[in-house]
Amino acid sequence: VVPRVVKKNMIGFLIQSGLFLGRKSQISTCSRVRGRGCTVDNIEDVSDEELDSLLQQANGPTGDKYQLSTSQSDPIATALRAVCGCKEVKGFELMDSRWNGNEAIRADTDRGNYFVKINRVEDASVFMSEAVGLTTIRKTETVYCPMPLHVGSLPKVGEFGPGAFLILEWLPLVPFGASRPEAQEDLGHSLAMMHLSSAMDEIHEGKFGFVINNYLSLTPMDNRWTDDWSEFLARRIGVLLQSLFEPKVYARAPFKKDESSELINLTQKLMESLKDRFVDVHVKPSLLHGDLWIGNAGFIKDKAVVYDPACFFGHAEMDLAIMELFGGFTDKFYNAYHSRIPKAEGFEERSKIYKVYHYLNQLNLFGNEQVKVEVIKLLRELVES
């Protein structure tokens, strides 16, 4: 029998490690539980039976689940043969498993390796939107990214599913390659070229948005076309603010409005000021990666590569804000980038606005109280300036 204090400590560890996503006295389970999480007012008042239930839910669905196979009936092996022209699928190797349920797989075939992403519970639309983003980046012929080859569905097995998979070109990534000086410099030049590219002008026609709605990590993005950048940005920020107080399918406990009045008021004031802040700023729609932190960049041989995009047409400076926010990019990158696109007047102040946007998304994903403190501090600086 596991003592009660051990159960409580286990739940506390899960909260700290992100396997339980909640805040203060609220507990809710991680994304793979998909809405099964429960909320409690005080962990001290939770019965042993409820503690057992919480721990069981943290493990996610139980029982059988889809397993990759080289058999003729396997959907991934079938796609490799039918779409990629492979005669033999030799095997699969798990390379990485992420908090959001995504697994990175290497497929070994007679035609070489392929990169496969799978998620046993997500709809195929998530990977489809990623494939559209990658294809759009490739059409600019600037920064390199893997070629998407096929999006398919995985069957429901037991409590898991249905899910989805994405087959991509295999890239022989150099370990920690994105941190190399030559990778940083190349990415600086190629990202600036993508932001300057006119290859997609006939697609966006001077508007802000994208051809489909997509996802910033697990957060759904509203990409409806808009003529005015400040209006598009205000809408995006407004949706992120509102969703903080709504239940999520990935089960982060909603914030309470009565505990977030300052965050709400400051964000609304920022949104109301955006039109004036951008009145003298010329913003041309640029293709953005949308989620370019250091973990979504890499290096192969002699060039930088990017992946896992959340593409849309927006202000080029917005890509730089998330890069600065999460770190990992050096002067090699920034000097190369700004040699092609110099900083415009007001760059630093606008960067703060774009960081608010990404902080709000982090709050939606993880509910971290320290992030809430940071975004309120940034909002105060902006509203009081």
Side-chain angles (χ1 to χ4, degrees):
V1 178
V2 180
R4 176 180 175 83
V5 65
V6 174
K7 295 177 184 177
K8 286 167 55 181
N9 288 340
M10 290 172 67
I11 292 177
F13 170 76
L14 290 170
I15 294 172
Q16 291 292 327
S17 64
L19 293 177
F20 272 70
L21 306 179
R23 61 189 189 86
K24 289 186 177 178
S25 61
Q26 292 182 319
I27 297 176
S28 65
T29 51
C30 64
S31 62
R32 58 179 181 246
V33 177
R34 297 185 62 77
R36 291 164 167 259
C38 58
T39 300
V40 296
D41 293 326
N42 192 323
I43 193 169
E44 298 295 336
D45 298 332
V46 179
S47 68
D48 286 339
E49 291 75 14
E50 289 172 309
L51 287 175
D52 289 338
S53 177
L54 284 169
L55 289 171
Q56 183 177 0
Q57 289 179 52
N59 291 324
T62 58
D64 294 338
K65 60 183 179 180
Y66 165 76
Q67 300 292 344
L68 288 88
S69 166
T70 59
S71 70
Q72 294 290 335
S73 60
D74 181 85
I76 298 176
T78 297
L80 287 167
R81 296 184 182 98
V83 179
C84 302
C86 303
K87 293 181 179 179
E88 181 184 5
V89 179
K90 301 177 181 178
F92 298 101
E93 180 181 350
L94 176 65
M95 301 177 61
D96 193 15
S97 182
R98 296 295 178 92
W99 68 273
N100 60 1
N102 285 348
E103 293 183 6
I105 309 290
R106 184 181 68 197
D108 181 20
T109 80
D110 63 303
R111 292 176 61 88
N113 293 330
Y114 292 87
F115 185 83
V116 183
K117 290 177 69 172
I118 74 169
N119 192 305
R120 292 179 175 85
V121 295
E122 288 291 356
D123 185 80
S125 63
V126 177
F127 286 149
M128 182 61 73
S129 66
E130 179 179 341
V132 172
L134 290 169
T135 300
T136 307
I137 291 174
R138 289 179 64 87
K139 285 184 178 296
T140 67
E141 298 182 347
T142 53
V143 62
Y144 195 81
C145 68
M147 179 187 299
L149 301 171
H150 183 71
V151 176
S153 297
L154 297 178
K156 177 177 174 62
V157 178
E159 296 182 40
F160 292 86
F165 67 93
L166 168 63
I167 301 177
L168 297 157
E169 167 193 10
W170 174 262
L171 298 180
L173 295 173
V174 176
F176 306 104
S179 298
R180 290 193 174 193
E182 61 268 37
Q184 297 264 331
E185 185 173 5
D186 184 68
L187 182 60
H189 286 297
S190 58
L191 183 66
M193 291 170 64
M194 184 177 86
H195 288 165
L196 292 170
S197 175
S198 60
M200 296 290 110
D201 285 2
E202 292 185 2
I203 302 297
H204 63 69
E205 297 181 330
K207 298 179 185 294
F208 302 96
F210 200 50
V211 293
I212 59 170
N213 291 330
N214 51 19
Y215 298 83
L216 179 55
S217 186
L218 291 176
T219 307
M221 293 287 102
D222 181 353
N223 289 325
R224 287 174 294 166
W225 295 107
T226 309
D227 291 318
D228 183 77
W229 169 244
S230 63
E231 180 183 332
F232 180 87
L233 180 60
R235 187 178 75 211
R236 278 275 188 101
I237 292 175
V239 169
L240 288 174
L241 177 65
Q242 179 181 345
S243 64
L244 288 175
F245 311 103
E246 300 171 347
K248 305 289 192 304
V249 294
Y250 41 92
R252 183 196 56 73
F255 281 80
K256 293 181 179 179
K257 286 189 176 182
D258 59 359
E259 296 178 357
S260 307
S261 57
E262 185 177 18
L263 175 62
I264 295 170
N265 293 335
L266 288 172
T267 305
Q268 288 176 339
K269 287 180 180 179
L270 175 64
M271 291 162 56
E272 292 166 0
S273 71
L274 288 178
K275 196 166 226 20
D276 289 337
R277 291 175 184 270
F278 284 91
V279 68
D280 294 323
V281 183
H282 176 66
V283 182
K284 175 188 176 294
S286 295
L287 178 62
L288 306 189
H289 178 283
D291 192 16
L292 194 48
W293 64 292
I294 192 69
N296 285 343
F299 186 68
I300 55 170
K301 270 195 205 174
D302 57 353
K303 58 188 171 186
V305 297
V306 298
Y307 30 82
D308 292 348
C311 289
F312 65 99
F313 295 100
H315 193 190
E317 293 175 359
M318 200 166 185
D319 261 351
L320 301 189
I322 188 173
M323 301 173 85
E324 183 178 345
L325 187 66
F326 295 117
F329 296 94
T330 67
D331 287 343
K332 282 284 188 181
F333 167 81
Y334 291 108
N335 291 339
Y337 182 91
H338 290 303
S339 71
R340 294 179 180 270
I341 304 180
K343 288 184 180 181
E345 183 179 354
F347 173 90
E348 302 297 341
E349 194 76 358
R350 290 188 297 274
S351 179
K352 293 179 182 179
I353 298 173
Y354 299 143
K355 288 174 183 175
V356 165
Y357 169 87
H358 285 292
Y359 270 140
L360 289 174
N361 185 55
Q362 289 295 300
L363 277 179
N364 270 284
L365 293 173
F366 305 114
N368 187 297
E369 281 291 328
Q370 186 56 43
V371 173
K372 186 179 179 182
V373 171
E374 291 298 323
V375 72
I376 288 176
K377 178 182 176 181
L378 199 53
L379 283 163
R380 286 175 185 156
E381 292 178 15
L382 286 164
V383 171
E384 294 169 5
S385 64

